[in-house]
Amino acid sequence: MEYLKVIAFTHHHIDLKSLGKLVICDESLDNRLKNLQAELPVSEIFYIGTCNRVEFVFLTKEKTDKEFVTKFLTVLDMGLPPEFMERFLDNVTVYENEEAFNHLLRTSCSLESLVVGEKEILAQIRKAYENCRDAGFTGDYMRMIMDRVVKTAKEVYTHTNISKNPVSVVSLAYRKLKELNMCGNSRVLIIGAGETNQNIAKYLNKHKYSNFSIFNRTLSKAETLAEELNGKAYSLAELENFTEGFDVIITCTGATETIIDEALYAKLLNGDTGKKVIVDLAIPNDVAPAVIHNNPIHYIEVESLKEVARKNIQERYNELVHAEDIINTNIAEFFTVLKQRRIELAMQEVPRKIKEIKNTALNGVFADEISQMDEASREVLERVMNYMEKKCISVPMIMAKEILVKES
């Protein structure tokens, strides 16, 4: 554990726009890491790059002080202007040894994420490691580290409630919609083609909803979203003339005034008296209060969802103690696993040595005596020697591991 190091640049200390300057594209990653291993005593390394963090996990005997980190970034040749280099150096976080392992576990369990409990980070770390492993940048030690990282994260996500309750407004809105048990061919009218509506539309599309009409001020954006959803695109100006009816309205625009007033809503209903669903994720709301008060509507709006999100976030933070207990247990267990592996590596020459001794005995020291034996006797001797060979290999290994466990 003494050589494990992490150099981390994260959302905790650096704004996300600046963080983007440190992201390494896939095409240049291999060459940059090769240069790094050629110039610095780094035996194994992998790189993690997400929208919230850029981290380098590696093994080195060197002390990772500011001088080392400066040389590290210089060799990577990130093309950073001097003022950015200084800013990153002032806001870097360096973890060493057990602290580095603890950080890696906490990160994989999303305890260090912008949104605690988001499972995506584990998949991102695994992919980052596998890419570098396949390119030959990691070896046996990092394999053991990652095996324990994955094991720990799975235990945290399974045995705590840290990721159980959604905390994004979009996921909460979709959950509310799902509770209404709408059929797959429900007519969904989407007003606004920005990121929020794009995200909730992906949820709906994934779960087989198929009848979409998209309205947006810029028609090309509506067309792009409509193409993804296999729906129809309209400019926002066409909304008041829409007569095809709807079951659900999802709206989120940047308008400062309401988009849907009573007159427009009546036109959209086109005589339909059934109860409708409106998901209004705009701030301020796109739907006039009178529409909600004077019509039969399931109304889902952003402020109520934000309150649920705040409660869910607090519940997730309450689970941190349980998650950290699991992490601490895995760190303790890993020290024993690490010692066992060291014994395995130290004793990996034992099987070859014992085979050499057996062959010398059979073909050299006792060759004459064996040649005078009948075939049946030689077969028995061969079986005895093979049995002894296996025991001479396995027994010392087992005894060493048992001693290690008792000491632990």
Side-chain angles (χ1 to χ4, degrees):
M1 191 76 72
E2 59 185 324
Y3 300 141
L4 181 64
K5 310 292 170 68
V6 177
I7 293 176
F9 305 91
T10 74
H11 62 91
H12 292 298
H13 303 109
I14 301 172
D15 65 274
L16 300 185
K17 186 176 180 180
S18 298
L19 201 56
K21 297 183 181 297
L22 288 170
V23 174
I24 302 175
C25 66
D26 293 340
E27 291 76 15
S28 66
L29 179 61
D30 283 11
N31 286 334
R32 291 182 191 278
L33 295 186
K34 283 177 184 176
N35 290 339
L36 195 67
Q37 288 188 317
E39 295 290 330
L40 295 174
V42 172
S43 56
E44 298 184 38
I45 185 169
F46 72 95
Y47 156 85
I48 303 167
T50 76
C51 56
N52 294 325
R53 65 183 64 253
V54 169
E55 302 197 12
F56 299 89
V57 184
F58 58 99
L59 303 179
T60 185
K61 295 180 181 180
E62 298 293 306
K63 183 178 180 182
T64 44
D65 52 18
K66 185 173 182 178
E67 182 182 351
F68 180 91
V69 177
T70 303
K71 189 172 183 181
F72 191 98
L73 291 180
T74 303
V75 172
L76 279 174
D77 190 21
M78 307 290 282
L80 298 172
E83 63 271 19
F84 272 102
M85 177 71 90
E86 281 303 315
R87 184 197 296 182
F88 288 132
L89 288 172
D90 289 340
N91 291 282
V92 67
T93 307
V94 177
Y95 303 92
E96 297 185 325
N97 313 330
E98 185 178 340
E99 187 182 29
F101 188 42
N102 183 55
H103 167 74
L104 196 54
L105 292 176
R106 287 179 59 86
T107 302
S108 70
C109 298
S110 82
L111 273 61
E112 300 289 344
S113 295
L114 194 60
V115 178
V116 171
E118 293 299 326
K119 292 183 179 180
E120 288 81 2
I121 185 62
L122 175 60
Q124 291 169 332
I125 291 175
R126 288 182 73 170
K127 184 178 180 182
Y129 161 72
E130 289 166 1
N131 287 343
C132 289
R133 177 201 64 194
D134 295 344
F137 293 110
T138 67
D140 188 61
Y141 189 90
M142 209 64 83
R143 174 192 62 78
M144 294 179 63
I145 291 286
M146 282 305 302
D147 284 349
R148 183 60 53 162
V149 164
V150 173
K151 174 182 179 293
T152 305
K154 287 183 175 179
E155 288 178 6
V156 167
Y157 292 131
T158 301
H159 300 299
T160 75
N161 291 319
I162 200 164
S163 63
K164 293 294 190 296
N165 297 317
V167 295
S168 74
V169 167
V170 168
S171 59
L172 286 166
Y174 173 71
R175 178 169 289 196
K176 289 282 188 181
L177 279 172
K178 190 177 178 183
E179 290 170 359
L180 297 175
N181 295 316
M182 299 181 305
C183 60
N185 64 352
S186 295
R187 298 164 296 175
V188 182
L189 197 159
I190 298 177
I191 303 173
E195 184 178 357
T196 298
N197 277 357
Q198 289 174 29
N199 289 335
I200 197 166
K202 287 176 184 176
Y203 274 102
L204 293 168
N205 193 34
K206 180 180 178 182
H207 291 86
K208 309 305 180 185
Y209 291 93
S210 57
N211 193 344
F212 297 97
S213 299
I214 298 96
F215 294 80
N216 194 65
R217 292 189 190 280
T218 306
L219 180 59
S220 60
K221 289 187 176 180
E223 290 172 338
T224 300
L225 183 55
E227 185 176 351
E228 292 179 15
L229 301 174
N230 195 27
K232 299 176 182 178
Y234 305 88
S235 70
L236 189 59
E238 296 177 78
L239 185 60
E240 63 178 353
N241 300 318
F242 185 76
T243 58
E244 296 180 23
F246 68 94
D247 300 297
V248 182
I249 292 177
I250 298 173
T251 182
C252 184
T253 73
T256 56
E257 303 291 336
T258 55
I259 295 289
I260 302 175
D261 57 20
E262 284 193 282
L264 177 56
Y265 190 71
K267 286 185 179 181
L268 293 172
L269 286 174
N270 198 24
D272 190 343
T273 58
K275 192 170 188 178
K276 305 301 181 181
V277 178
I278 296 180
V279 181
D280 189 349
L281 301 182
I283 300 176
N285 290 342
D286 282 338
V287 181
V291 173
I292 312 305
H293 296 150
N294 299 329
N295 294 277
I297 293 172
H298 288 290
Y299 185 56
I300 301 168
E301 51 91 25
V302 71
E303 280 305 320
S304 62
L305 295 176
K306 281 188 170 182
E307 182 56 34
V308 175
R310 280 191 287 269
K311 290 179 180 177
N312 287 354
I313 287 173
Q314 186 55 52
E315 288 182 18
R316 287 188 176 191
Y317 275 100
N318 292 341
E319 290 296 300
L320 290 181
V321 173
H322 304 304
E324 287 170 348
D325 287 343
I326 292 172
I327 288 172
N328 290 334
T329 299
N330 273 277
I331 290 174
E333 290 176 356
F334 185 70
F335 279 111
T336 300
V337 171
L338 198 58
K339 289 178 181 178
Q340 289 176 342
R341 183 58 178 159
R342 285 175 178 167
I343 290 173
E344 291 172 359
L345 292 174
M347 298 184 72
Q348 63 184 357
E349 283 293 299
V350 170
R352 187 180 64 80
K353 292 288 186 183
I354 290 175
K355 282 183 182 295
E356 285 181 0
I357 293 170
K358 184 187 81 169
N359 290 332
T360 300
L362 292 175
N363 303 315
V365 179
F366 300 104
D368 292 339
E369 290 90 334
I370 293 172
S371 67
Q372 297 174 23
M373 299 172 106
D374 59 68
E375 186 175 346
S377 298
R378 283 199 296 272
E379 287 180 358
V380 171
L381 177 62
E382 185 73 21
R383 290 202 302 273
V384 169
M385 293 296 286
N386 288 340
Y387 175 81
M388 291 299 295
E389 178 187 354
K390 290 178 182 177
K391 290 299 179 182
C392 288
I393 291 171
S394 63
V395 170
M397 191 77 73
I398 293 170
M399 291 179 66
K401 287 183 177 179
E402 286 177 349
I403 292 170
L404 180 63
V405 170
K406 288 177 182 177
E407 287 179 350
S408 299

